[in-house]
Amino acid sequence: MNLFRHARFYTTVNHLKDLPDTRAEIAFVGRSNAGKSSAINTLTNHTRLAYVSKTPGRTQHINFFELTNGGYMVDLPGYGYAQVPEAVRRHWVSLLGDYLQTRTQLIGLILIMDARHPLKELDKQMLDFFAVTNRPLHILLSKADKLSKNEQIKTLACVRKALQPYIVRQQVSVQLFSSLKKQGMEEVNQIAASWFAQNATLPAIETETPASKAGK
């Protein structure tokens, strides 16, 4: 069963105080050109559920999508795109950072990396940043279709080796993924389903409203 197939838009927020009261959420995050929106659209079998723009960094809000199991999929702002006004960038960073480290309902993070350019410095910073939550993280090496089969095997092996220092301190897994070829869909579905299953008894809880950390 495709956990994401019948996802429907629920709400969008631009401030933590407006976050909805949900039971459990899985968030998607990645550098602005890593293929996050395409991955979400492929997983949900929807061409425009997450807007794919030629201009990286279009997603500036936190977008919530309701899943059929009662959980939520959360599309977070892309990071690493500098060509936006500084005030917007600071708000963006604060919104993303505060959500990831303080959102009680967040049960796991799916980090999108371009398979041709994995583990960039900002990706490593994201791994470090999220590690303090002690929650699982799963990496999708997107655009795998851009690599030959041999290159895919080598890339996956290299990334797994590079992740060893991170796996010691947090639950991290990785896979190849292609939105174009629909490669890896079953694997990410199984990961997400296991996260929800492990948190099936989570009670509904109050929305976190931490103070902004803009300018840090």
Side-chain angles (χ1 to χ4, degrees):
M1 176 182 175
N2 186 335
L3 176 67
F4 301 102
R5 182 176 297 277
H6 299 294
R8 64 180 183 87
F9 177 75
Y10 184 71
T11 190
T12 184
V13 302
N14 192 33
H15 299 282
L16 292 182
K17 64 181 178 62
D18 298 323
L19 289 173
D21 187 12
T22 67
R23 294 177 65 83
E25 303 164 1
I26 288 177
F28 285 70
V29 72
R31 284 184 290 117
S32 297
N33 57 351
K36 174 171 59 70
S37 294
S38 294
I40 290 174
N41 287 336
T42 297
L43 287 168
T44 58
N45 194 33
H46 197 297
T47 57
R48 291 175 67 85
L49 191 71
Y51 192 89
V52 180
S53 173
K54 292 182 179 179
T55 303
R58 183 184 184 279
T59 304
Q60 298 178 21
H61 298 72
I62 297 179
N63 297 309
F64 286 76
F65 303 90
E66 188 173 9
L67 304 176
T68 54
N69 70 344
Y72 289 80
M73 173 180 67
V74 183
D75 183 13
L76 297 174
Y79 57 86
Y81 187 66
Q83 297 182 28
V84 293
E86 180 60 22
V88 173
R89 190 193 68 79
R90 286 199 306 269
H91 173 70
W92 214 340
V93 170
S94 177
L95 181 66
L96 176 62
D98 284 354
Y99 171 85
L100 287 174
Q101 287 199 332
T102 66
R103 182 65 167 168
T104 311
Q105 293 95 322
L106 179 61
I107 62 173
L109 181 66
I110 295 178
L111 174 57
I112 316 296
M113 299 182 193
D114 188 326
R116 299 166 298 177
H117 314 287
L119 289 173
K120 292 291 189 181
E121 186 58 34
L122 285 174
D123 298 325
K124 294 177 182 178
Q125 289 178 19
M126 178 59 70
L127 284 165
D128 290 334
F129 187 81
F130 193 65
V132 301
T133 69
N134 293 316
R135 293 168 185 156
L137 182 147
H138 184 61
I139 297 170
L140 299 189
L141 297 176
S142 67
K143 306 182 184 181
D145 55 280
K146 304 291 186 181
L147 303 176
S148 67
K149 289 295 183 182
N150 190 48
E151 288 171 334
Q152 289 185 24
I153 293 171
K154 288 183 177 179
T155 296
L156 185 59
C158 287
V159 171
R160 281 177 173 159
K161 182 177 180 180
L163 285 173
Q164 287 306 309
Y166 299 95
I167 293 173
V168 170
R169 69 185 186 190
Q170 65 188 125
Q171 183 181 330
V172 181
S173 50
V174 60
Q175 69 165 99
L176 294 163
F177 187 86
S178 169
S179 297
L180 182 64
K181 302 293 185 180
K182 300 187 185 305
Q183 175 186 351
M185 291 181 62
E186 183 176 348
E187 188 174 349
V188 67
N189 262 284
Q190 290 175 346
I191 290 287
S194 70
W195 290 352
F196 279 118
Q198 292 167 18
N199 292 272
T201 58
L202 277 179
I205 45 185
E206 293 297 324
T207 303
E208 297 284 347
T209 56
S212 171
K213 298 176 185 175
K216 275 196 171 184

